[in-house]
Amino acid sequence: MLFNSLKYLLFLTVVVVLYYVLPRKVRSSFLILVSFFFYMCWAPIFGPLLAYMILLSWGGAKWLTKSTDAKSRKRKVTLLVVLLLAPLCLFKYTGFIAANLNALFAFLKPFNAMHINWPELAQPIGVSFFTFMAIGYVVDVYRNDTRLLSLHRTAAFISFFPHLSAGPIGRAGAMAPQFDQYHKLTSEQFKQGVSLLLLGWFKKAVVADRLFVYISNVYDNVPHHSGISLLLASVFFAVQLYCDFAAYSDMACGSARLLGFKLTTNFQRPYLATSVRFFWSRWHISLTSWFRDYLFAPIYKSWLKERKKLHALPTAVITIIVFAVSGLWHGAGWTFLIWGVLNGLYLSLEPPLLKRLYKLEKRLPQTALVNWTSVWIKRGVTFVLMAFSFVFFRARSLGDAGLILQRIATWAPGGLYKPSTVMLSMLACGMMLLIDLHEEKTKQIGGFLLSRSLVLTSIKITVFVVVIMLLGVLDNSQFIYFQF
């Protein structure tokens, strides 16, 4: 059941109405039931997987609290993390490992006869996301950062349908207490929820899916396209990926807001960031913070404990390792690994370069024009670096990625693919830029649709819907991050 479908809007409407009609004591149970229904609409066979993750995280956290010995608790939490990761590894990585082992066997003559026949497994929707939510909860209990939850609260937190399929990756400490609150649908919450749903629909239908028309035709037939077509497709994909996932996050937050819940803001205008570090503080925030708290921080503290002092090189190595894992989390493939390593290198090499840049900036005259120019140059450089790394994210293979970069670098001759499609795509990008600039100024996502006057708000929303209907690609296409 896709967020950008009429089926989902009908489902959400019924859920919201029933949620506020039902007595307080049964509301969270109702949400658990509708969340399982929502998840099993994709494939009923994966319902037991979600139940397994809930039961294991609940029982495992309870098991942890019964032990006071530090070594015993550490062994237990390690085992629990392995068991929680097992389904993700089974569905997502075993095929990739088998394919690479087969390639290795074919290369090594003594093992030519060996071959692993591994069936292609369908990946459950959202497994990467609710796995990380479950692990985060168990580790938080181990660290005494959150209280032990009942089975009912654990199920409500992990299965909550707005963030179940593709995040934002919730934290038990922030989300679980909200299920104990009595929610009333206020006019303000209703306006916020509707504006976020509409904004997400706009980003998906008018921008992301419009850009997809051009990108898919170019990236799926790389040898037949010129350098300029590939360059435009690469720029468009950077925007498409952002708008596609930000659309899902906005619609998730909007759905939750209609029910009285607040989810983590997942995107804050990342392409207006003036450095790669700032970019990653604005892009997929729930995942970035998850890797920081549950992977980077433990490795960093362990290294620091052993050596008493941490120098720049080990910090850079840890950063690259974490981003390499992040790359593999996004997809089981070498292109994703390279994308992750590239971003780790960006973050490792950036600090000394920024220090030199700041020294240079101090020498320049401090005028509004100079400052404005400096900000937009830094934003442009950051965007180019990210768009370059996203070539590997989107390319079907390393060979395709190499050919794309070669053709762009050599400005391979040829015409522009479908100029009319390019114009519509550029119009979509321009509208998205204007929205982001407005939100950067007001610091309120979807705020341009809201006003104190209900009449004015209604007019804005009506105009927005008309724009979506006229310019949007309304084919209910799947969100990119569902594959991760």
Side-chain angles (χ1 to χ4, degrees), residues 58 137 147-155:
W58 165 72
Y137 165 59
R147 64 185 176 89
L148 187 67
L149 300 178
S150 65
L151 176 58
H152 190 267
R153 283 291 170 266
T154 306

Side-chain angles (χ1 to χ4, degrees), residues 128-161:
S128 299
F129 293 90
F130 59 72
T131 295
F132 273 22
M133 283 192 282
I135 290 173
Y137 165 59
V138 168
V139 173
D140 283 347
V141 170
Y142 167 74
R143 295 174 176 173
N144 296 315
D145 288 341
T146 193
R147 64 185 176 89
L148 187 67
L149 300 178
S150 65
L151 176 58
H152 190 267
R153 283 291 170 266
T154 306
F157 158 62
I158 293 176
S159 69
F160 189 45
F161 73 89

Side-chain angles (χ1 to χ4, degrees), residues 253-275:
C253 290
S255 300
R257 202 77 195 101
L258 289 174
L259 294 165
F261 293 82
K262 286 185 177 180
L263 300 183
T264 302
T265 300
N266 223 11
F267 288 86
Q268 291 183 342
R269 306 161 298 281
Y271 289 133
L272 296 181
T274 54
S275 69

